[in-house]
Amino acid sequence: MTALEIAVERWPIAGHFTIARGSRTEAVVVVATVRAGAHAGRGECVPYARYGESVDSVKAQLDGLREAVAQGLTRDELTHLLPPGAARNAIDCALWDLEATAAGLPLPALAGVPTPAPMLTAYTLSLGTPEAMQAAARQAAERPLLKVKLGGEGDPERIAAVREGAPHARLIVDANESWRAENLRANLAACARAGVELVEQPLPAGGDEALARADAPVAICADESVHDAASLARLPAWYNAVNIKLDKTGGLTDALRLRREASARGLGIMVGCMVGTSLGMTPALIVAGGADYVDLDGPLLLARDRDGGLRYEGSTLIPPWA
C-alpha cells in the first residue's frame, strides 16, 4: 500500500530575508512523504505568492493526489495531474527519492547523470539601504560569489556600496522584476561599473520589451519569465540565461528537461532555489552539476538546517554522493 503524508514546517531565517516583494523571518515549507512498504521518499517545496500559491493551496493540491498515490502514481502521470509549481515539486521529488531508496541507488545514478562534484554556490545579500548592504557585503566579502538583491529606485547606489564592501567578490544581481523601462539603462550601467556578471529578471515577465533596445552591457537571466521546459519556447530572444528552480518546474523531472533544452539553445544555466532546507536543495544538485551559476544557498540563510543536512565549506557545497 502506498500512502501520502503532508506536513507544513517553519524554519527560522537568520535575521531576515528581504527582496523587492517584501521581507520574511521564516521559511515555510511543505513536505510530502510517499510511503510504499518499508520505503519512503520525501520532497520539500516552498509555496510562492508571486505564482498564486499559498500553503493552503499547495496542501489542497497534494490532498487531491492521495488516491492517485495509493494507486501507484508515476512521475509521468504526475505531469498530467498537476501544473508546474510547488505542489508538483514536492511529490515529484518524493517519488524520485522513493525510487532511489527502494532501488538502493544514489539519486544521480537513477537520473542517469554524473555524480555532481563539489560546487561553488552564490551567497545572497538581502535588499536594504546602501549602508546596510555595504555592511552585509563586508561581512561576506570572503565569499567568492555574491548574489545581490536589488529593488528599483536607488539601485545604482546599492550596487556601488556592495562593490565597495566586497571589492574582490564576483557579483550577480537579482532585481525580482523591480526595474522599469525608464531606469533600465542607468541600472544596467551601474551594474557594469561594479563588474556585475549577470542580472536576473530586471523587468516584469511579459513586460520586458525594453530589454530588446537596451544593448545590455551584462548578461540577462530569465527567472519569472521561464518556468518549465514548455515555457522555454516563449522565452524572448534578449535573455542570455535561465534560472532553473524545482519549485517553478514542478520538480526534478521537468528541471532535467529544461536544463537539456536550454543548453541546446546555447543559453547559460543558473540553478536556483527558494529559501528552504537541505531537503529541498538536494534534488536540485542533480541539475546543478556543471551549471554556469549555482544559487543553492537556502540552508545558509536559515538559523538552522535539518539534522544531517548538506555540508557547506564556506561557499562550497558538498553533494552527499561526492
Side-chain angles (χ1 to χ4, degrees):
M1 180 67 177
T2 305
L4 171 63
E5 300 171 5
I6 305 165
V8 177
E9 301 175 351
R10 297 178 179 274
W11 295 84
I13 291 172
H16 64 273
F17 183 75
T18 302
I19 66 172
R21 299 188 185 99
S23 186
R24 291 180 288 153
T25 58
E26 64 177 6
V28 183
V29 306
V30 179
V31 176
T33 302
V34 179
R35 298 190 183 277
H39 303 291
R42 294 189 302 158
E44 174 185 297
C45 72
V46 181
Y48 195 32
R50 166 64 179 81
Y51 302 136
E53 298 171 338
S54 67
V55 169
D56 288 342
S57 73
V58 166
K59 285 177 60 183
Q61 286 179 296
L62 294 175
D63 272 324
L65 292 177
R66 289 188 185 277
E67 182 59 29
V69 169
Q71 294 181 10
L73 176 69
T74 67
R75 294 193 300 273
D76 181 64
E77 291 168 342
L78 176 62
T79 63
H80 302 291
L81 294 177
L82 285 183
R88 196 172 88 185
N89 178 31
I91 288 286
D92 182 76
C93 289
L95 292 173
W96 275 98
D97 188 33
L98 175 64
E99 185 174 345
T101 300
L105 289 172
L107 192 55
L110 182 62
V113 302
T115 300
M119 59 190 74
L120 174 70
T121 180
Y123 181 79
T124 304
L125 301 182
S126 284
L127 177 67
T129 64
E131 295 77 17
M133 294 186 73
Q134 184 178 104
R138 196 170 286 123
Q139 288 184 335
E142 297 306 311
R143 294 186 180 273
L145 179 62
L146 298 179
K147 178 172 177 174
V148 183
K149 291 289 188 179
L150 295 180
E153 192 67 31
D155 280 349
E157 292 76 18
R158 290 187 180 99
I159 195 62
V162 167
R163 173 50 78 203
E164 185 173 344
H168 305 298
R170 296 166 57 204
L171 299 182
I172 56 178
V173 155
D174 185 3
N176 285 113
E177 303 180 283
S178 65
W179 294 359
R180 295 298 178 262
E182 54 268 25
N183 61 23
L184 178 63
R185 288 181 181 274
N187 287 343
L188 286 173
C191 288
R193 287 194 298 273
V196 170
E197 299 178 14
L198 185 85
V199 175
E200 193 179 336
Q201 199 67 45
L203 297 174
D208 49 7
E209 298 85 358
L211 284 168
R213 306 181 296 275
D215 191 23
V218 296
I220 306 296
C221 179
D223 184 1
E224 288 83 356
S225 288
V226 63
H227 289 242
D228 59 352
S231 66
L232 185 64
R234 302 187 296 274
L235 185 68
W238 44 80
Y239 287 103
N240 311 109
V242 296
N243 188 346
I244 302 173
K245 295 178 181 174
L246 271 60
D247 274 313
K248 289 192 303 176
T249 64
L252 178 57
T253 300
D254 197 87
L256 287 166
R257 184 179 302 118
L258 176 56
R259 167 80 193 254
R260 288 192 300 270
E261 295 185 11
S263 295
R265 287 174 173 238
L267 292 166
I269 303 295
M270 173 187 284
V271 177
C273 66
M274 306 301 187
V275 182
T277 77
S278 286
L279 178 59
M281 305 302 119
T282 299
L285 294 174
I286 303 301
V287 192
D292 299 286
Y293 296 95
V294 175
D295 180 28
L296 297 176
D297 64 342
L300 294 177
L301 304 176
L302 299 176
R304 60 182 178 85
D305 190 14
R306 297 180 186 277
D307 292 339
L310 290 170
R311 182 159 62 96
Y312 293 82
E313 294 181 358
S315 289
T316 299
L317 200 171
I318 314 296
W321 318 281

